[in-house]
Amino acid sequence: MTTSYRGTPVSEGMAAGELYLPDAVAGAGAGTADETGAEAVTVTAADVRAAFAGVAAERSLLAGRLREAGRDHEADIVEIGALMAADPALSAPALDALAAPAATSATAATSATAATSAPAAGGDRAKHEPGRSDHRRYPLAAAAAAITAAAETQAAILAALPDPDLAQRASDVRQVATAVNARLAGDAAAVPPPEAAFILVRADVDPADLIRLVDAGHLAGAVSVGGGASSHAAIIARGLGLPMLAGADPAVLTAPAGHPAVLDAAGGELLVDAVPADRGLAGLARVGAAGGGTAAVVPGTVLSGTCRTADGELVTVLCNVASAAETRLGLANGAAGVGLLRTEIPFTRAAGWPDRAGHLAALTPILGLLGGKRAVVRLLDFAGDKIPPFPGAAGLPAFLRAPGALAAQLTAILQAGAGTDLAIMIPMVRALDEVDIVRVELARAAKAAGVDPPPLGMMVELAATAAAAAAFAGSVDFFSIGTNDLTADVLRRDRSALRPADASERRVLTAIATTVHAAGEAGIGLSVCGDAAADPAVLPQLLAIGVRTVSVGAAKVPAVAGWIARADTSGSAAPGSGRTATPDAG
């Protein structure tokens, strides 16, 4: 009998395999002592401290390997877990709870909650250093309860934050606690992954786990009870083209491990004990937005960077990237190049404005893969959940005012992108003088490098900017429409609450059409680089408006090519569209 579990799609695709619940044994340890015997196993405070340190070290090593492989964006995400595991704000309350008299699993949980809610003063930190109390023994169940309670208290603080992106970091804290508890219990308590295709199911899917399991070769999909579309795990899953659900029914954690399952991440459903053949999925391991995404491509579609609509219109397909790994995936999937290189991702935890060397270190592994190909590099876009911790970092005006910050990045871009078909793009433009500042600095940097300035474009992400597109068109070489922010601004809704399909609302399409028309009248290039360009319902409407260049997630390139091949733009009439923008734009 098939059992269905619902969740929110955060990375589309379909997958089949056996269920893998790595917390099945460790999770049982959260039960009673009679059920598990966990009260009979004892650990010391030194063991707890070593478990936290071990998780921190393990994730730091993984982050280092990812960075060496050019996977900087993934490395940054894994490093967050390493920092959390090393932070006394998480480990100290658990140790305090264990040190309480007659610690049991119940009292340890209560004490950890209290200790986390009222953190110790700096002068008390010494009591968490190794000492005589490290050798006192406590029940494993009490230690696990204290660690879990401390994490839950920290997670609750994060979850209560008004910023939804920051609130989802609560999942990261819980993932660290799960890893620490698993390490404390020992490898014997861990459930090894299957040696064939499997679907990962956890209370909170850890991005580090996704990377490790994908690299091992058998992970077909993932389901997380916690998290959401902007969680780090979801970001990694989309970049890898791995089907994934978040916010799943908690009952999924009781599903029978090892049983066959089908994950329909587009439909938001996990089917346990389903037979793939019965659903037309015989032989399916993974059909995601990456390799398996070619299932969406019309037979005969040539993925060579350009494809034609059913009525013969030529459309260029580029990819959005932040790492070398995504760039390789996008090119392998047939992208003509990169239409959006997010340069801010490596610096979201920077202590100050990046210098030229820092930019070069981040850009060279990516741009080195794009010899002779289109490479549209966006200037630093510190906004939303991408703001580093140093004061005055948020927004384009801050970047343009910071002494030497713009010059350092432009110089590095020109050097690293010397062998590419380079273009530079300004994010979140509100005023013409912002474009003028960048244009002057770019001319200066190009003269110093002995090269001609590359094309300079701007993103259209605000309703007011779209409405004034004709005024901006004479000052730039191309427009790139960021549909995520533009949709949020036009509809006056929180970006985190939007779906790509919301860009199909008439007010949003009118703003896009106004921008397309302005680009066409001025004879400048135009592309769409937001998620709407990879939505099967919105993409045909963008093509109808006159969009002829799209830039999408690297894993989505084959599917998008297939949707373009099916589209028929003949006779299309779009709101406010007078003529098609120049194709092959950045």
Side-chain angles (χ1 to χ4, degrees), residues 79-130:
E79 281 178 345
I80 290 176
L83 291 170
M84 287 179 172
D87 190 348
L90 184 57
S91 60
L95 291 167
D96 282 341
L98 279 182
T104 65
S105 56
T107 61
T110 303
S111 299
T113 300
T116 310
S117 302
D124 292 337
R125 183 172 298 175
K127 69 181 179 182
H128 300 301
E129 299 299 322

Side-chain angles (χ1 to χ4, degrees), residues 141-196:
I147 293 166
T148 300
E152 283 301 322
T153 303
Q154 290 285 352
I157 294 171
L158 289 169
L161 294 174
D163 186 322
D165 294 315
L166 293 177
Q168 289 194 23
R169 298 290 79 77
S171 292
D172 297 333
V173 177
R174 295 187 179 104
Q175 291 157 10
V176 168
T178 298
V180 171
N181 278 332
R183 193 177 189 93
L184 193 62
D187 292 337
V191 181
E195 296 183 358

Side-chain angles (χ1 to χ4, degrees), residues 266-423:
E269 186 175 29
L270 175 71
L271 297 165
V272 180
D273 289 322
V275 180
D278 292 343
R279 297 176 61 86
L281 298 172
L284 171 68
R286 178 166 118 200
V287 178
T294 55
V297 179
V298 172
T301 301
V302 178
L303 302 181
S304 59
T306 59
C307 51
R308 292 190 180 274
T309 63
D311 57 314
E313 289 291 324
L314 188 67
V315 180
T316 300
V317 182
L318 303 163
C319 60
N320 302 332
V321 306
S323 67
E326 291 167 288
T327 306
R328 284 190 289 268
L329 176 60
L331 296 178
N333 280 343
V338 167
L340 169 61
L341 171 50
R342 301 181 177 95
T343 62
E344 64 278 354
I345 299 299
F347 303 110
T348 54
R349 294 199 306 278
W353 292 104
D355 59 13
R356 172 179 163 276
H359 283 299
L360 276 175
L363 291 169
T364 301
I366 300 171
L367 295 177
L369 300 171
L370 295 169
K373 296 184 181 295
R374 189 66 162 165
V376 181
V377 182
R378 183 174 68 186
L379 297 177
L380 291 174
D381 184 20
F382 288 149
D385 64 339
K386 301 177 298 179
I387 302 175
F390 64 90
L396 177 64
F399 174 52
L400 299 182
R401 287 194 305 267
L406 175 61
Q409 185 170 29
L410 290 174
T411 301
I413 292 171
L414 293 175
Q415 181 176 341
T420 71
D421 178 14
L422 183 65

Side-chain angles (χ1 to χ4, degrees), residues 17 58 99 134 143 221 263 277 287-288 303 319 414 422 460 494 496 542 548:
E58 177 187 59
D134 271 18
L263 174 60
V287 178
L303 302 181
C319 60
L414 293 175
L422 183 65
V460 178
D494 189 281
S496 65
L542 297 176
R548 293 296 179 265

